[in-house]
Amino acid sequence: MPIYLDEGFRPCVTESAGVAFRVCFDDQAQIFEVSAEALIAYCGAASQRRRDLLIAFEDGRHDILAVASRKRIFKTAEPVRLGLDEFRMVLH
């Protein structure tokens, strides 16, 4: 099943210091939010500043998509949160 970032939904920093983005799985889409802690620990973000989080998000797209593909849930309208635990389970 092809999985890709929806380019029509620009990744953005949320109030909870995470980065929200939308992933498409064939014909279904789901919004995810990766935590700042996960971006720092696994994607190399230098700090929780907006710019650092967005740069780390772009640099870590491959790993973030791998984690999102394992955590997809289409029954909720709320963003699916990807934190340190989800990255530990998938990447280690």
Side-chain angles (χ1 to χ4, degrees):
M1 176 185 311
I3 176 174
Y4 58 93
L5 285 177
D6 183 353
E7 297 298 330
F9 182 92
R10 184 182 303 199
C12 59
V13 177
T14 65
E15 292 177 7
S16 60
V19 175
F21 60 100
R22 186 165 54 197
V23 174
C24 296
F25 303 91
D26 285 336
D27 62 345
Q28 295 180 325
Q30 177 67 53
I31 295 177
F32 290 88
E33 181 180 351
V34 62
S35 71
E37 294 82 17
L39 288 168
I40 290 170
Y42 289 95
C43 301
S47 72
Q48 288 191 8
R49 290 186 1 218
R50 181 181 188 279
R51 178 176 166 84
D52 292 338
L53 294 176
L54 290 173
I55 289 171
F57 177 84
E58 289 300 323
D59 290 346
R61 283 176 97 162
H62 182 268
D63 290 339
I64 292 167
L65 284 176
V67 174
S69 70
R70 306 269 168 110
K71 185 73 177 181
R72 64 180 178 219
I73 302 170
F74 293 107
K75 297 176 183 169
T76 178
E78 296 294 318
V80 175
R81 184 96 167 137
L82 303 176
L84 288 173
D85 292 339
E86 287 78 16
F87 276 79
R88 282 187 196 117
M89 287 179 11
V90 173
L91 300 180
H92 288 123

